[in-house]
Amino acid sequence: VPPYTVSVFATSVPPVYFQPDSITVWNGRVFVGYGNNAKPDGSGGFSTLVEYAMDGTVLHKMKVRGHNDGLKVDPKTNLLWALQNEDAHPNLLIIDPRNWSSKEYTFAKPAHGGGYDDMAFIGDDVYISASNPSNNPNTKQAIVKATLNGDIVDVTPVLLGDANATDITTGEPIQLNLQDPDSMINDPEGDLVLDSQADGELIFVHHPGFADQGVFRLALTSGGTSTQIDDTVLANSSQGLILVSDRDGETIYSIQTPFFGPSEAYSAGPTFVGRLDTHTGVLTPIVTGMVS
């Protein structure tokens, strides 16, 4: 949709690496996690992390045990966190992208019964989404704070799946039942933004973990009907590009426009990328025709 344009940034190279998913950027480099049909419950398979230059040239590849989902760089340490197995038996690999040395960490059995999906860094704290809960209603944690302790990741609850929240579009109180905590980012104000994918809603957590923590819910629609999304990004510059993985299309696309407004939000829908109105929850497609 004008004025947006789309081009190919990179493509899969099966059987070496395929099913592109998470993307993160650091120091003029792009890191992509390829799932390679690895099992999200940790029962088998390896993912591949690929480092690209900004022109799409492959610089490095690394195999990772399990199904990679979360992939983020800690802005304080410049270390790459790769989180595997969002359905069960999660593990975390922390990598120094300067030399690709790494250390693996494990978790105790998750109290919510599933795995862990994505991460966000705010100050000295690391927050992780607790995915694939085993109970409905979900009374266990949906977001945890992570602390490294030897070779273990210790977690403490930050947000429960049945927390009380305020609906952004109506201002009315609502009780959550988060059945699919998934991707997570932090916004410029230091709030956590959690996608509860199958529920078709974004959850904003203000001052996470503090006494004045506030929780807000945004129901998502496109074309007048409820819709699901995966990752959301916020524009941090008026000039730049959006990178998006079309997993089953085996392609990473670059989306550009002459100008991005301050903190404009864009989300990946099932087959499109849309501009998100964070006041109404309405997604307006800007690039369509993707596979997944």
Side-chain angles (χ1 to χ4, degrees), residues 102-121:
S102 63
K103 181 177 179 179
E104 184 171 320
Y105 298 81
T106 58
F107 294 81
K109 184 178 180 180
H112 65 284
Y116 296 106
D117 191 286
D118 202 4
M119 299 149 290
F121 299 87

Side-chain angles (χ1 to χ4, degrees), residues 224-267:
T225 60
S226 177
T227 190
Q228 296 183 21
I229 64 170
D230 198 335
D231 288 89
T232 295
V233 294
L234 301 172
N236 55 22
S237 172
S238 63
Q239 303 296 308
L241 54 86
I242 299 170
L243 295 176
V244 56
S245 293
D246 185 356
R247 185 194 63 192
D248 296 335
E250 301 294 355
T251 304
I252 301 161
Y253 292 104
S254 170
I255 301 172
Q256 294 181 273
T257 188
F259 179 82
F260 288 101
S263 296
E264 280 185 344
Y266 295 85
S267 298

